Amino acid sequence: NHPSICQWTIFNEGWGQFCADEMYNRLRELDSSRFIDSASGWFIAKNNDFDSRHIYFKKLKVEECNKPIFISEFGGYSLNIENHIFNLKSSYGYGKFKCREDFVTALKNLYLNEVLPLIDKGLCATVYTQLSDVEDETNGLLTYDRMVSKVKEEEFAEISEKLKEKILK
């Protein structure tokens, strides 16, 4: 019932990435208790605790690997909620929806048809992009001002139960 840190991500994608393997070693010396994703998503570093991938614009898939498989970014569906948008002229997402019902349906299908089946193929963790809209990126589950949730808890209760079943299996 409290926030905690379960992993460190040193570099996200190629943004300023340098000496990822050395940075992994330095961080591992400072904290041996947590997972480290030294280069999340794009460039695979030798020293990394996961096979970390970002997957957009195509069907989610995983390949056999000798490390835990982590889809560290996926989804990112865009839905603009009137009066809760940062930029009225421009928005970004990895698939745009005009109504909440279509957004929720697409998100549920993503989990049911792509995420859940991959657990049996070795998928260990996922991170949906993203928790909240960030300025022009309207691909969050919450609006920019955090006033509106684009999905309701009860809409994902079935998916949550299916995830639990897969994990406890």
Side-chain angles (χ1 to χ4, degrees):
N1 293 332
H2 57 83
S4 63
I5 297 171
C6 61
Q7 87 168 56
W8 298 110
T9 299
I10 300 173
F11 297 107
N12 183 48
E13 299 169 344
W15 298 91
Q17 183 176 335
F18 66 97
C19 304
D21 292 327
E22 290 175 39
M23 294 299 107
Y24 173 93
N25 292 335
R26 289 180 72 186
L27 182 54
R28 180 54 67 215
E29 287 176 14
L30 295 170
D31 187 347
S32 63
S33 69
R34 292 180 177 89
F35 294 108
I36 299 173
D37 189 0
S38 56
S40 180
W42 285 6
F43 303 111
I44 299 171
K46 185 178 101 182
N47 295 336
N48 203 22
D49 294 336
F50 313 101
D51 178 3
S52 172
R53 304 295 171 136
H54 294 185
I55 303 174
Y56 296 109
F57 300 117
K58 58 187 175 183
K59 187 173 172 74
L60 299 180
K61 69 176 186 172
V62 296
E63 296 170 7
E64 195 170 309
C65 183
N66 63 353
K67 293 182 178 182
I69 302 167
F70 178 22
I71 300 177
S72 46
E73 283 189 24
F74 78 104
Y77 295 162
S78 175
L79 174 67
N80 292 337
I81 305 291
E82 193 173 343
N83 299 320
H84 298 277
I85 304 167
F86 174 80
N87 185 343
L88 298 175
K89 295 179 183 172
S90 177
S91 68
Y92 182 81
Y94 299 96
K96 295 189 177 190
F97 296 88
K98 296 206 182 282
C99 72
R100 198 187 77 76
E101 292 75 22
D102 290 346
F103 173 83
V104 170
T105 297
L107 193 55
K108 286 170 85 171
N109 286 335
L110 179 62
Y111 275 89
L112 290 170
N113 300 324
E114 297 186 42
V115 173
L116 283 167
L118 292 179
I119 293 171
D120 293 332
K121 295 182 177 185
L123 180 63
C124 295
T126 62
V127 173
Y128 179 81
T129 298
Q130 51 202 17
L131 177 59
S132 68
D133 294 349
V134 178
E135 298 177 356
D136 296 348
E137 294 183 20
T138 57
N139 53 359
L141 299 174
L142 302 171
T143 56
Y144 176 76
D145 57 9
R146 314 308 195 269
M147 299 299 290
V148 178
S149 176
K150 298 177 188 181
V151 296
K152 296 181 175 132
E153 183 178 340
E154 59 271 14
E155 292 171 320
F156 277 78
E158 175 190 0
I159 292 168
S160 180
E161 285 305 312
K162 288 183 182 212
L163 282 167
K164 280 189 221 174
E165 288 170 15
K166 287 263 190 195
I167 292 167
L168 297 175
K169 194 171 164 183

